[in-house]
Amino acid sequence: MDWDDTIGDWSNAAWKALNDIYARYHLDELYDTVAEFFNTYEPYNLELWSKYGRNEVTKEQLHFERFYYPLMVNDYPEFRGLDKKTLALQMGDEFLELTNKYFSLLPDAKEVVQYLAGKYPLTILSNGFKEVQYYKFAHSGLAPYFTHKIISEEVGINKPNPRLFEIALEMNGVTADEALMIGDSYTSDIAGAKAAGIDQLWLCANPEDGQTATYIVPKLTDIMRIV
């Protein structure tokens, strides 16, 4: 199973954290609304995460660039008397702390994980930063339900690389046809599992044309009627 936006409510935590960043750093002087700031930040953030999955950028580059980019709305090297590069690093560090503060599980996540753990060995497979993910595991109350927790950063391989999925199979002593990948990201979770020959259960309300999976469901609780 993936973690962020599959079990943990990452999107809500990130939105709250970005609201705090917008207020604390007076970004209203660069963007009229937090929504305008978000609409600059988020597409580039997603692009960086996609590149991170393909090993085209490092964790450190992602951590820095996703906040440096929206600061460069103008050509000035400073903002409010601070060097923008220094500011971007500070914002990135605070963002991670704030997402931990606002961490919560998705509705029904506990029920679904408990149900699955009663029938199958469960493994987390995440591209998230380890210092954030382990905090969430520890504070979720769900850690005991997972046999293995694989963080791509620690292995040195990111989803959708099929080798990461193969490592999960090896840890569990199962073959690809005995496993199922559950996740919300088509590019990371579903495409990666397909490449590894593993069935996929995709949490998605509105698939785009051409995007397929073994199972596609809109709600987490739908998993229980399938497996």
Side-chain angles (χ1 to χ4, degrees):
M1 299 184 74
D2 172 58
W3 183 271
D4 288 327
D5 287 332
T6 297
I7 297 169
D9 192 352
W10 168 257
S11 292
N12 184 53
W15 172 250
K16 289 179 178 178
L18 289 169
N19 272 267
D20 283 2
I21 293 289
Y22 179 83
R24 290 182 186 183
Y25 287 90
H26 305 280
L27 297 183
D28 57 325
E29 296 181 19
L30 297 177
Y31 297 93
D32 289 337
T33 65
V34 67
E36 185 182 337
F37 165 60
F38 179 81
N39 289 335
T40 300
Y41 163 90
E42 184 62 2
Y44 191 60
N45 176 56
L46 292 175
E47 180 184 339
L48 287 170
W49 274 105
S50 181
K51 289 182 177 180
Y52 182 66
R54 299 192 300 269
N55 292 313
E56 293 175 6
V57 298
T58 65
K59 169 187 173 180
E60 290 75 21
Q61 287 173 313
L62 191 161
H63 181 70
F64 165 73
E65 288 185 16
R66 62 178 170 181
F67 283 102
Y68 185 62
Y69 177 78
L71 288 175
M72 297 307 295
V73 66
N74 58 46
D75 294 329
Y76 304 125
E78 294 186 350
F79 176 64
R80 293 180 65 87
L82 291 173
D83 176 73
K84 286 184 178 179
K85 291 182 178 180
T86 301
L87 193 58
L89 289 171
Q90 291 177 358
M91 290 167 66
D93 290 343
E94 258 191 71
F95 176 74
L96 296 183
E97 293 174 5
L98 287 165
T99 55
N100 282 346
K101 171 186 173 181
Y102 291 123
F103 164 76
S104 65
L105 294 172
L106 285 165
D108 306 311
K110 183 175 181 180
E111 176 189 2
V112 171
V113 168
Q114 289 175 329
Y115 166 82
L116 291 172
K119 300 180 69 175
Y120 312 101
L122 302 181
T123 295
I124 288 295
L125 201 56
S126 174
N127 277 0
F129 297 163
K130 63 182 179 181
E131 62 270 32
V132 179
Q133 298 306 75
Y134 279 116
Y135 177 92
K136 291 184 283 191
F137 298 158
H139 289 78
S140 69
L142 299 182
Y145 294 103
F146 293 93
T147 306
H148 302 289
K149 303 172 189 71
I150 304 174
I151 308 297
S152 62
E153 178 186 349
E154 295 182 324
V155 180
I157 305 169
N158 298 318
K159 294 183 294 184
N161 189 319
R163 179 58 191 146
L164 193 64
F165 295 83
E166 292 165 0
I167 290 170
L169 295 176
E170 292 164 5
M171 283 186 170
N172 285 281
V174 298
T175 58
D177 60 358
E178 296 174 302
L180 177 71
M181 179 63 195
I182 299 171
D184 71 293
S185 169
Y186 187 83
T187 54
S188 295
D189 303 318
I190 306 310
K194 282 184 177 182
I198 298 170
D199 282 346
Q200 324 91 42
L201 193 152
W202 186 21
L203 293 165
C204 180
N206 299 293
E208 295 183 11
D209 289 344
Q211 294 182 331
T212 62
T214 311
Y215 308 101
I216 302 176
V217 298
K219 302 190 303 297
L220 199 59
T221 51
D222 291 332
I223 294 170
M224 296 189 289
R225 64 177 173 78
I226 295 174
V227 299

